[in-house]
Amino acid sequence: MRIALVSEHANPLAAVGGVDAGGQNIHVAALAAELSRLGHAVTVYTRRDAPNSPDQVTAPDGYVVEHVPAGPPTEVPKDELLPHMLAFSGYLADRWSREPPDVVHAHFWMSGLASLRAAARTGIPVVQTFHALGVVKRRHQGPRDTSPRSRIAVEEMLCRKVDHVIATCDEEVGELRAIGMPPGRASVIPCGVDLSLFRPAPPRGREDRRDEADARRGAQSYPTIFTAGQPRPNGTPRQLLVVGRLVERKGVADVVHALAEVPDAELLIAGGPAPDALDLDPEVTRLRAVADHAGVGERVHLLGRVEHADMPAVFHSCDVVVAVPWYEPFGIVPLEAMACARPIVGSAVGGLLDTVVPGVTGEVVPPRRPDVLADVLRGLLADPDRCARYGAAGSARARRLYSWQRVTAKTEQVYAQVTAHVGAGMEAR
Ligand code: UDP
Protein backbone atom coordinates (compact mmCIF):
# COMPACT_ATOMS: atom_id res chain seq x y z
CA MET A 1 0.00 0.00 0.00
CA ARG A 2 0.97 3.63 -0.45
CA ILE A 3 0.40 5.04 3.01
CA ALA A 4 0.34 8.72 3.95
CA LEU A 5 0.88 9.46 7.63
CA VAL A 6 0.01 13.06 8.45
CA SER A 7 1.53 14.46 11.65
CA GLU A 8 1.40 18.26 11.44
CA HIS A 9 3.49 19.17 14.51
CA ALA A 10 5.17 15.91 15.51
CA ASN A 11 8.08 15.17 13.20
CA PRO A 12 9.26 11.55 13.54
CA LEU A 13 12.85 12.73 13.08
CA ALA A 14 12.73 15.39 15.84
CA ALA A 15 14.43 15.14 19.24
CA VAL A 16 11.80 14.32 21.87
CA GLY A 17 11.39 15.59 25.42
CA GLY A 18 10.49 19.25 24.75
CA VAL A 19 7.04 20.77 25.37
CA ASP A 20 5.54 19.70 22.03
CA ALA A 21 7.67 16.65 21.18
CA GLY A 22 7.00 13.35 22.91
CA GLY A 23 4.93 10.23 22.45
CA GLN A 24 3.35 11.25 19.13
CA ASN A 25 6.76 11.68 17.50
CA ILE A 26 7.84 8.27 18.81
CA HIS A 27 4.56 6.68 17.70
CA VAL A 28 4.66 8.05 14.16
CA ALA A 29 8.34 7.12 13.75
CA ALA A 30 7.84 3.55 14.96
CA LEU A 31 4.68 2.99 12.92
CA ALA A 32 6.30 4.41 9.76
CA ALA A 33 9.40 2.27 10.28
CA GLU A 34 7.47 -0.94 10.84
CA LEU A 35 5.08 -0.33 7.92
CA SER A 36 8.10 0.27 5.67
CA ARG A 37 9.70 -2.92 6.91
CA LEU A 38 6.53 -4.76 5.88
CA GLY A 39 7.01 -3.46 2.34
CA HIS A 40 4.59 -0.51 2.26
CA ALA A 41 5.57 2.81 0.70
CA VAL A 42 5.20 5.28 3.58
CA THR A 43 5.36 9.07 3.43
CA VAL A 44 5.08 11.15 6.61
CA TYR A 45 3.84 14.72 6.05
CA THR A 46 4.91 17.11 8.77
CA ARG A 47 5.18 20.89 8.95
CA ARG A 48 8.49 22.48 7.98
CA ASP A 49 9.78 24.10 11.17
CA ALA A 50 13.32 24.99 10.10
CA PRO A 51 14.36 26.99 7.05
CA ASN A 52 17.09 24.55 6.05
CA SER A 53 15.20 21.26 6.29
CA PRO A 54 15.08 19.51 2.90
CA ASP A 55 11.74 19.15 1.07
CA GLN A 56 12.00 15.39 1.40
CA VAL A 57 14.27 13.12 3.37
CA THR A 58 14.43 9.34 3.49
CA ALA A 59 14.71 8.16 7.08
CA PRO A 60 17.20 5.37 7.88
CA ASP A 61 14.17 3.11 8.47
CA GLY A 62 13.06 3.49 4.87
CA TYR A 63 10.11 5.88 5.06
CA VAL A 64 10.05 9.33 3.50
CA VAL A 65 9.46 12.51 5.52
CA GLU A 66 8.07 15.41 3.52
CA HIS A 67 8.37 18.85 5.14
CA VAL A 68 5.21 20.75 4.28
CA PRO A 69 5.53 24.52 3.87
CA ALA A 70 2.70 25.90 6.03
CA GLY A 71 3.35 28.95 8.18
CA PRO A 72 6.79 30.28 9.09
CA PRO A 73 9.67 27.78 8.77
CA THR A 74 10.43 28.05 12.49
CA GLU A 75 9.19 26.33 15.62
CA VAL A 76 5.62 27.40 16.40
CA PRO A 77 3.76 26.12 19.50
CA LYS A 78 1.23 23.52 18.39
CA ASP A 79 -1.66 25.50 19.83
CA GLU A 80 -0.85 28.30 17.35
CA LEU A 81 -0.76 26.13 14.24
CA LEU A 82 -4.44 26.10 13.29
CA PRO A 83 -4.27 29.19 11.01
CA HIS A 84 -1.66 27.36 8.92
CA MET A 85 -3.71 24.23 8.37
CA LEU A 86 -5.37 25.62 5.23
CA ALA A 87 -1.97 25.89 3.58
CA PHE A 88 -1.07 22.45 4.91
CA SER A 89 -4.18 20.84 3.42
CA GLY A 90 -3.70 22.74 0.14
CA TYR A 91 -0.24 21.21 -0.15
CA LEU A 92 -1.59 17.73 0.59
CA ALA A 93 -4.44 18.11 -1.91
CA ASP A 94 -1.94 19.06 -4.60
CA ARG A 95 0.41 16.17 -3.78
CA TRP A 96 -2.39 13.63 -3.59
CA SER A 97 -4.00 14.75 -6.85
CA ARG A 98 -0.75 13.76 -8.55
CA GLU A 99 0.14 10.70 -6.46
CA PRO A 100 -2.87 9.50 -4.47
CA PRO A 101 -2.08 7.30 -1.49
CA ASP A 102 -4.25 4.22 -0.81
CA VAL A 103 -4.91 5.36 2.73
CA VAL A 104 -4.28 8.43 4.87
CA HIS A 105 -3.67 8.09 8.61
CA ALA A 106 -3.93 11.41 10.43
CA HIS A 107 -2.31 11.94 13.85
CA PHE A 108 -3.74 14.68 16.12
CA TRP A 109 -6.85 16.71 15.40
CA MET A 110 -5.31 19.37 13.13
CA SER A 111 -3.80 16.67 10.92
CA GLY A 112 -7.27 15.14 10.68
CA LEU A 113 -8.72 18.47 9.61
CA ALA A 114 -6.05 19.00 6.94
CA SER A 115 -6.32 15.39 5.71
CA LEU A 116 -10.09 15.36 5.46
CA ARG A 117 -10.06 18.60 3.48
CA ALA A 118 -7.31 17.36 1.17
CA ALA A 119 -8.94 13.96 0.61
CA ALA A 120 -12.45 15.37 0.06
CA ARG A 121 -14.01 14.02 -3.13
CA THR A 122 -11.01 11.79 -3.89
CA GLY A 123 -12.33 8.58 -2.31
CA ILE A 124 -9.07 8.21 -0.35
CA PRO A 125 -10.01 6.81 3.08
CA VAL A 126 -8.90 8.72 6.17
CA VAL A 127 -8.08 7.00 9.47
CA GLN A 128 -7.74 9.20 12.56
CA THR A 129 -5.70 8.80 15.74
CA PHE A 130 -6.31 11.72 18.09
CA HIS A 131 -3.44 11.13 20.57
CA ALA A 132 -5.21 13.60 22.90
CA LEU A 133 -8.71 15.06 23.08
CA GLY A 134 -9.65 18.71 23.51
CA VAL A 135 -12.61 17.88 25.71
CA VAL A 136 -10.37 16.09 28.23
CA LYS A 137 -7.79 18.86 28.17
CA ARG A 138 -10.49 21.49 28.75
CA ARG A 139 -11.91 19.48 31.66
CA HIS A 140 -8.54 19.40 33.41
CA GLN A 141 -7.03 22.73 32.43
CA GLY A 142 -10.13 24.92 32.28
CA PRO A 143 -9.28 28.52 31.41
CA ARG A 144 -5.55 27.71 31.21
CA ASP A 145 -6.14 25.48 28.18
CA THR A 146 -4.40 27.21 25.25
CA SER A 147 -5.97 25.05 22.53
CA PRO A 148 -7.87 26.91 19.78
CA ARG A 149 -11.51 27.36 20.75
CA SER A 150 -12.72 25.36 17.76
CA ARG A 151 -10.77 22.24 18.74
CA ILE A 152 -13.61 20.38 20.43
CA ALA A 153 -16.07 21.08 17.60
CA VAL A 154 -13.51 19.92 15.02
CA GLU A 155 -12.90 16.72 16.96
CA GLU A 156 -16.66 16.09 17.12
CA MET A 157 -16.84 16.56 13.36
CA LEU A 158 -13.83 14.32 12.71
CA CYS A 159 -15.13 11.36 14.65
CA ARG A 160 -18.27 11.40 12.53
CA LYS A 161 -16.64 12.06 9.15
CA VAL A 162 -13.41 10.04 9.00
CA ASP A 163 -13.55 6.45 7.78
CA HIS A 164 -12.25 4.98 11.03
CA VAL A 165 -10.89 6.12 14.37
CA ILE A 166 -8.02 4.38 16.13
CA ALA A 167 -8.26 5.01 19.88
CA THR A 168 -5.22 4.13 21.95
CA CYS A 169 -7.08 3.00 25.08
CA ASP A 170 -10.55 1.95 26.26
CA GLU A 171 -11.14 5.17 28.17
CA GLU A 172 -10.70 7.18 24.96
CA VAL A 173 -13.52 5.26 23.25
CA GLY A 174 -15.87 6.34 26.06
CA GLU A 175 -14.79 9.96 25.59
CA LEU A 176 -15.30 9.74 21.82
CA ARG A 177 -18.76 8.20 22.19
CA ALA A 178 -19.65 11.03 24.57
CA ILE A 179 -18.76 13.63 21.90
CA GLY A 180 -20.93 11.92 19.31
CA MET A 181 -18.86 9.21 17.63
CA PRO A 182 -21.30 6.66 16.23
CA PRO A 183 -20.92 3.11 17.59
CA GLY A 184 -18.57 0.74 15.79
CA ARG A 185 -16.36 3.48 14.35
CA ALA A 186 -13.33 2.97 16.56
CA SER A 187 -10.81 0.22 17.15
CA VAL A 188 -8.58 0.25 20.20
CA ILE A 189 -4.95 -0.18 19.21
CA PRO A 190 -2.45 0.78 21.90
CA CYS A 191 0.87 2.50 21.38
CA GLY A 192 3.87 0.21 21.37
CA VAL A 193 7.39 0.13 22.73
CA ASP A 194 10.66 -0.48 20.93
CA LEU A 195 11.60 -3.83 22.44
CA SER A 196 15.00 -3.94 20.77
CA LEU A 197 15.97 -0.72 22.60
CA PHE A 198 14.04 -1.10 25.86
CA ARG A 199 15.20 -4.37 27.42
CA PRO A 200 15.87 -5.54 30.95
CA ALA A 201 19.39 -4.79 32.21
CA PRO A 202 21.59 -7.85 31.73
CA PRO A 203 22.55 -9.73 34.88
CA ARG A 204 25.81 -8.52 36.42
CA GLY A 205 28.85 -9.81 34.60
CA ARG A 206 26.81 -10.77 31.51
CA GLU A 207 26.70 -7.37 29.84
CA ASP A 208 27.37 -7.49 26.13
CA ARG A 209 29.43 -4.74 24.58
CA ARG A 210 26.41 -2.74 23.53
CA ASP A 211 25.06 -2.63 27.09
CA GLU A 212 28.41 -1.58 28.47
CA ALA A 213 28.68 1.15 25.87
CA ASP A 214 25.13 2.32 26.63
CA ALA A 215 25.80 2.39 30.35
CA ARG A 216 29.06 4.29 29.91
CA ARG A 217 27.41 6.80 27.63
CA GLY A 218 24.52 7.27 30.08
CA ALA A 219 26.92 7.69 32.96
CA GLN A 220 29.08 10.19 31.10
CA SER A 221 26.27 12.35 29.81
CA TYR A 222 24.18 12.40 32.97
CA PRO A 223 26.54 12.30 35.92
CA THR A 224 23.92 11.56 38.59
CA ILE A 225 23.22 8.23 36.91
CA PHE A 226 26.50 6.80 38.01
CA THR A 227 25.42 3.17 38.14
CA ALA A 228 23.44 2.80 34.93
CA GLY A 229 22.26 -0.77 34.67
CA GLN A 230 23.98 -1.87 37.89
CA PRO A 231 22.81 -2.28 41.47
CA ARG A 232 24.00 0.67 43.53
CA PRO A 233 26.37 0.18 46.41
CA ASN A 234 24.75 -0.41 49.81
CA GLY A 235 23.77 2.71 51.64
CA THR A 236 23.19 4.88 48.54
CA PRO A 237 19.74 6.42 48.37
CA ARG A 238 17.05 4.64 46.38
CA GLN A 239 16.21 6.32 43.10
CA LEU A 240 12.79 7.21 41.77
CA LEU A 241 12.50 8.22 38.13
CA VAL A 242 10.03 10.41 36.27
CA VAL A 243 10.33 10.71 32.48
CA GLY A 244 8.40 13.06 30.24
CA ARG A 245 7.72 16.45 28.84
CA LEU A 246 7.77 19.01 31.62
CA VAL A 247 4.18 20.13 31.47
CA GLU A 248 2.09 20.61 34.60
CA ARG A 249 -0.44 17.88 33.84
CA LYS A 250 2.29 15.21 33.95
CA GLY A 251 2.07 15.50 37.75
CA VAL A 252 5.82 15.89 38.36
CA ALA A 253 5.15 18.37 41.17
CA ASP A 254 2.98 15.72 42.87
CA VAL A 255 5.96 13.35 42.88
CA VAL A 256 8.15 16.10 44.37
CA HIS A 257 5.58 16.60 47.15
CA ALA A 258 5.43 12.84 47.75
CA LEU A 259 9.23 12.70 48.02
CA ALA A 260 9.02 14.78 51.20
CA GLU A 261 7.35 11.73 52.81
CA VAL A 262 9.72 9.15 51.31
CA PRO A 263 12.97 9.40 53.27
CA ASP A 264 16.28 8.24 51.84
CA ALA A 265 15.11 8.44 48.24
CA GLU A 266 16.18 10.66 45.36
CA LEU A 267 14.10 11.74 42.41
CA LEU A 268 15.53 11.91 38.89
CA ILE A 269 13.47 13.85 36.36
CA ALA A 270 14.29 13.24 32.69
CA GLY A 271 12.72 15.58 30.14
CA GLY A 272 12.30 19.25 29.35
CA PRO A 273 14.83 21.45 27.58
CA ALA A 274 18.43 20.50 26.85
CA PRO A 275 20.49 20.36 30.09
CA ASP A 276 22.24 23.66 29.38
CA ALA A 277 18.89 25.46 28.96
CA LEU A 278 17.26 24.20 32.17
CA ASP A 279 17.72 27.50 34.01
CA LEU A 280 15.66 29.35 31.40
CA ASP A 281 12.65 27.06 31.57
CA PRO A 282 9.63 28.32 33.56
CA GLU A 283 8.40 24.82 34.49
CA VAL A 284 11.90 23.92 35.76
CA THR A 285 11.90 27.08 37.88
CA ARG A 286 8.47 26.18 39.24
CA LEU A 287 9.50 22.59 40.04
CA ARG A 288 12.68 23.77 41.78
CA ALA A 289 10.61 26.16 43.90
CA VAL A 290 8.16 23.37 44.77
CA ALA A 291 11.09 21.11 45.75
CA ASP A 292 12.73 23.80 47.90
CA HIS A 293 9.44 24.63 49.56
CA ALA A 294 8.87 20.93 50.32
CA GLY A 295 12.39 20.71 51.75
CA VAL A 296 13.60 18.18 49.15
CA GLY A 297 15.56 20.48 46.82
CA GLU A 298 18.77 18.51 47.38
CA ARG A 299 17.10 15.19 46.59
CA VAL A 300 15.59 16.25 43.24
CA HIS A 301 17.80 16.05 40.13
CA LEU A 302 16.56 17.56 36.89
CA LEU A 303 18.45 15.97 34.01
CA GLY A 304 16.84 17.91 31.17
CA ARG A 305 16.13 16.22 27.85
CA VAL A 306 17.75 12.80 27.57
CA GLU A 307 18.56 11.33 24.14
CA HIS A 308 15.97 8.67 23.41
CA ALA A 309 18.74 6.12 22.78
CA ASP A 310 20.04 6.78 26.32
CA MET A 311 16.67 6.22 27.98
CA PRO A 312 17.20 2.48 28.69
CA ALA A 313 20.31 3.26 30.76
CA VAL A 314 18.30 5.83 32.71
CA PHE A 315 15.50 3.33 33.40
CA HIS A 316 18.01 0.65 34.44
CA SER A 317 19.61 2.99 36.94
CA CYS A 318 16.45 3.57 38.98
CA ASP A 319 14.55 1.49 41.51
CA VAL A 320 10.99 2.57 40.70
CA VAL A 321 9.51 4.53 37.79
CA VAL A 322 6.72 6.96 38.69
CA ALA A 323 4.17 8.20 36.14
CA VAL A 324 1.30 10.04 37.82
CA PRO A 325 -0.21 12.37 35.23
CA TRP A 326 -3.55 14.08 35.95
CA TYR A 327 -4.78 12.60 32.67
CA GLU A 328 -2.97 10.70 29.94
CA PRO A 329 -4.19 9.77 26.45
CA PHE A 330 -1.86 6.76 26.44
CA GLY A 331 1.57 7.11 28.05
CA ILE A 332 4.48 5.30 26.39
CA VAL A 333 6.82 5.86 29.34
CA PRO A 334 5.12 3.24 31.57
CA LEU A 335 5.57 0.72 28.74
CA GLU A 336 9.24 1.61 28.37
CA ALA A 337 9.69 1.15 32.12
CA MET A 338 7.99 -2.24 31.98
CA ALA A 339 10.05 -3.35 28.98
CA CYS A 340 13.17 -2.44 31.00
CA ALA A 341 11.84 -4.62 33.86
CA ARG A 342 11.32 -1.69 36.22
CA PRO A 343 8.37 -1.60 38.64
CA ILE A 344 5.98 1.24 37.88
CA VAL A 345 3.72 3.35 40.05
CA GLY A 346 1.16 4.99 37.79
CA SER A 347 -1.98 7.06 38.18
CA ALA A 348 -5.31 5.44 37.37
CA VAL A 349 -5.97 7.39 34.17
CA GLY A 350 -6.15 6.84 30.41
CA GLY A 351 -3.82 4.29 28.90
CA LEU A 352 -2.22 3.48 32.26
CA LEU A 353 -5.46 1.73 33.22
CA ASP A 354 -4.76 -0.73 30.39
CA THR A 355 -0.98 -1.02 30.63
CA VAL A 356 -0.23 -1.17 34.37
CA VAL A 357 -1.68 -4.18 36.20
CA PRO A 358 -1.89 -3.31 39.91
CA GLY A 359 -0.27 -5.90 42.13
CA VAL A 360 1.36 -7.56 39.07
CA THR A 361 3.49 -5.05 37.14
CA GLY A 362 3.28 -2.18 39.62
CA GLU A 363 0.83 -0.13 41.62
CA VAL A 364 -1.87 2.30 40.62
CA VAL A 365 -2.76 5.42 42.63
CA PRO A 366 -5.34 8.18 42.18
CA PRO A 367 -3.96 11.22 40.34
CA ARG A 368 -3.05 14.36 42.31
CA ARG A 369 -2.70 12.51 45.62
CA PRO A 370 0.94 12.88 46.77
CA ASP A 371 -0.03 11.42 50.18
CA VAL A 372 -1.24 8.13 48.67
CA LEU A 373 1.72 8.07 46.31
CA ALA A 374 4.17 8.49 49.20
CA ASP A 375 2.58 5.55 51.08
CA VAL A 376 2.82 3.29 48.06
CA LEU A 377 6.42 4.32 47.30
CA ARG A 378 7.57 3.71 50.87
CA GLY A 379 6.05 0.23 50.78
CA LEU A 380 7.56 -0.63 47.43
CA LEU A 381 11.05 0.70 48.15
CA ALA A 382 11.10 -1.36 51.34
CA ASP A 383 10.34 -4.53 49.38
CA PRO A 384 13.02 -5.26 46.73
CA ASP A 385 11.55 -8.71 46.02
CA ARG A 386 8.21 -7.19 45.07
CA CYS A 387 10.03 -4.66 42.89
CA ALA A 388 11.87 -7.48 41.10
CA ARG A 389 8.63 -9.45 40.63
CA TYR A 390 6.81 -6.44 39.18
CA GLY A 391 9.74 -5.72 36.88
CA ALA A 392 9.82 -9.26 35.50
CA ALA A 393 6.04 -9.35 35.02
CA GLY A 394 6.10 -5.92 33.34
CA SER A 395 8.78 -6.98 30.92
CA ALA A 396 6.84 -10.15 29.98
CA ARG A 397 3.64 -8.11 29.52
CA ALA A 398 5.35 -5.51 27.34
CA ARG A 399 6.82 -8.25 25.17
CA ARG A 400 3.52 -10.10 24.85
CA LEU A 401 1.19 -7.19 24.11
CA TYR A 402 3.01 -4.04 23.13
CA SER A 403 5.60 -4.69 20.42
CA TRP A 404 5.40 -2.24 17.54
CA GLN A 405 5.14 -5.30 15.28
CA ARG A 406 1.87 -6.26 16.97
CA VAL A 407 0.57 -2.69 17.01
CA THR A 408 1.45 -2.21 13.34
CA ALA A 409 -0.17 -5.50 12.29
CA LYS A 410 -3.43 -4.33 13.91
CA THR A 411 -3.13 -0.92 12.26
CA GLU A 412 -2.52 -2.60 8.90
CA GLN A 413 -5.79 -4.54 9.38
CA VAL A 414 -7.66 -1.25 9.82
CA TYR A 415 -6.06 0.09 6.62
CA ALA A 416 -7.09 -3.11 4.79
CA GLN A 417 -10.69 -2.75 6.04
CA VAL A 418 -11.09 0.90 5.04
CA THR A 419 -9.48 0.40 1.63
CA ALA A 420 -11.65 -2.68 0.94
CA HIS A 421 -14.67 -0.62 1.87
CA VAL A 422 -13.72 2.10 -0.59
CA GLY A 423 -13.25 -0.55 -3.31
CA ALA A 424 -16.66 -2.10 -2.58
CA GLY A 425 -18.31 1.32 -2.63
CA MET A 426 -16.72 2.17 -5.99
CA GLU A 427 -17.87 -1.13 -7.54
CA ALA A 428 -21.42 -0.56 -6.34
CA ARG A 429 -21.35 2.83 -8.05
N1 UDP B 1 11.50 10.98 26.09
C1 UDP B 1 12.85 11.00 25.74
N2 UDP B 1 13.67 11.88 26.37
C2 UDP B 1 13.25 12.70 27.34
C3 UDP B 1 11.90 12.69 27.73
C4 UDP B 1 11.04 11.82 27.08
O1 UDP B 1 13.27 10.24 24.88
O2 UDP B 1 14.06 13.46 27.86
C5 UDP B 1 10.58 10.06 25.41
C6 UDP B 1 10.14 8.91 26.29
O3 UDP B 1 11.15 7.91 26.36
C7 UDP B 1 8.86 8.48 25.57
C8 UDP B 1 8.29 9.81 25.05
O4 UDP B 1 9.37 10.74 25.06
O5 UDP B 1 9.16 7.63 24.48
C9 UDP B 1 7.14 10.33 25.90
O6 UDP B 1 5.98 9.63 25.53
P1 UDP B 1 4.67 9.54 26.42
O7 UDP B 1 3.64 8.84 25.60
O8 UDP B 1 4.96 8.92 27.74
O9 UDP B 1 4.24 11.05 26.72
P2 UDP B 1 3.77 12.24 25.74
O10 UDP B 1 4.98 13.01 25.41
O11 UDP B 1 3.13 11.62 24.53
O12 UDP B 1 2.79 13.03 26.55
Side-chain angles (χ1 to χ4, degrees):
M1 276 189 268
R2 282 155 304 164
I3 300 170
L5 301 183
V6 180
S7 179
E8 54 6 345
H9 71 279
N11 186 331
L13 303 177
V16 290
V19 169
D20 281 343
Q24 186 177 329
N25 306 62
I26 300 286
H27 185 124
V28 172
L31 182 63
E34 187 56 23
L35 287 167
S36 304
R37 205 185 59 76
L38 292 171
H40 300 295
V42 181
T43 304
V44 180
Y45 295 90
T46 192
R47 203 185 72 85
R48 176 194 293 278
D49 65 2
N52 54 353
S53 41
D55 295 346
Q56 274 200 349
V57 46
T58 301
D61 289 315
Y63 58 89
V64 172
V65 175
E66 219 166 290
H67 294 117
V68 176
T74 51
E75 284 189 22
V76 175
K78 70 173 185 287
D79 286 341
E80 292 168 23
L81 286 178
L82 185 61
H84 307 300
M85 285 300 111
L86 207 54
F88 199 112
S89 72
Y91 179 93
L92 294 178
D94 181 54
R95 288 288 285 115
W96 296 345
S97 67
R98 285 180 281 123
E99 276 177 82
D102 297 306
V103 62
V104 172
H105 184 172
H107 295 261
F108 207 58
W109 68 281
M110 284 181 286
S111 299
L113 185 64
S115 299
L116 213 56
R117 270 197 202 130
R121 291 183 293 278
T122 63
I124 303 168
V126 176
V127 174
Q128 172 75 33
T129 299
F130 285 102
H131 290 274
L133 287 176
V135 70
V136 179
K137 195 171 179 196
R138 180 63 53 87
R139 190 182 305 143
H140 288 275
Q141 301 195 351
R144 286 180 304 141
D145 178 6
T146 51
S147 305
R149 287 180 55 196
S150 58
R151 175 173 179 178
I152 295 174
V154 171
E155 290 180 343
E156 285 169 1
M157 178 279 287
L158 284 173
C159 66
R160 286 194 308 272
K161 292 268 167 71
V162 295
D163 293 81
H164 201 75
V165 174
I166 296 180
T168 54
C169 68
D170 289 337
E171 192 183 70
E172 188 184 342
V173 178
E175 295 285 356
L176 289 164
R177 296 279 292 116
I179 61 167
M181 183 183 69
R185 298 214 96 200
S187 306
V188 177
I189 305 180
C191 297
V193 55
D194 180 349
L195 295 170
S196 62
L197 180 64
F198 293 94
R199 300 180 296 165
R204 235 190 150 158
R206 299 266 309 278
E207 302 87 356
D208 63 28
R209 285 175 54 196
R210 200 189 89 139
D211 292 311
E212 278 176 23
D214 280 357
R216 260 202 312 279
R217 194 152 58 119
Q220 272 164 16
S221 331
Y222 316 103
T224 47
I225 310 168
F226 56 98
T227 55
Q230 302 293 328
R232 272 184 305 286
N234 285 339
T236 38
R238 315 301 301 283
Q239 279 185 353
L240 306 172
L241 172 69
V242 169
V243 176
R245 296 178 295 122
L246 291 189
V247 291
E248 194 181 18
R249 67 120 175 139
K250 289 281 181 184
V252 186
D254 297 331
V255 190
V256 172
H257 280 300
L259 188 69
E261 303 302 322
V262 185
D264 304 328
E266 291 183 337
L267 173 62
L268 300 187
I269 301 171
D276 59 4
L278 278 172
D279 292 345
L280 304 172
D281 187 276
E283 184 61 6
V284 169
T285 308
R286 188 181 79 88
L287 287 172
R288 282 180 177 153
V290 170
D292 287 340
H293 193 251
V296 294
E298 299 206 331
R299 293 195 279 137
V300 173
H301 306 287
L302 282 136
L303 305 180
R305 175 190 306 151
V306 172
E307 288 284 324
H308 196 59
D310 291 339
M311 282 309 312
V314 178
F315 282 113
H316 294 160
S317 76
C318 77
D319 296 288
V320 175
V321 178
V322 187
V324 288
W326 301 350
Y327 64 94
E328 186 62 274
F330 183 77
I332 295 180
V333 163
L335 281 188
E336 292 170 346
M338 284 159 58
C340 286
R342 296 291 85 194
I344 168 102
V345 178
S347 50
V349 297
L352 283 88
L353 291 166
D354 300 350
T355 51
V356 183
V357 187
V360 178
T361 66
E363 300 294 350
V364 169
V365 295
R368 310 183 75 164
R369 287 294 303 271
D371 54 331
V372 181
L373 177 62
D375 270 356
V376 168
L377 287 173
R378 279 195 307 272
L380 202 49
L381 288 174
D383 191 350
D385 288 347
R386 183 152 56 106
C387 286
R389 237 181 11 256
Y390 286 176
S395 145
R397 182 171 170 80
R399 252 143 256 281
R400 188 159 47 87
L401 297 178
Y402 296 105
S403 67
W404 280 112
Q405 287 77 0
R406 192 168 198 270
V407 169
T408 305
K410 289 181 168 210
T411 309
E412 211 183 9
Q413 279 168 15
V414 169
Y415 297 166
Q417 267 167 30
V418 292
T419 50
H421 203 69
V422 169
M426 298 259 188
E427 270 164 38
R429 265 180 257 142

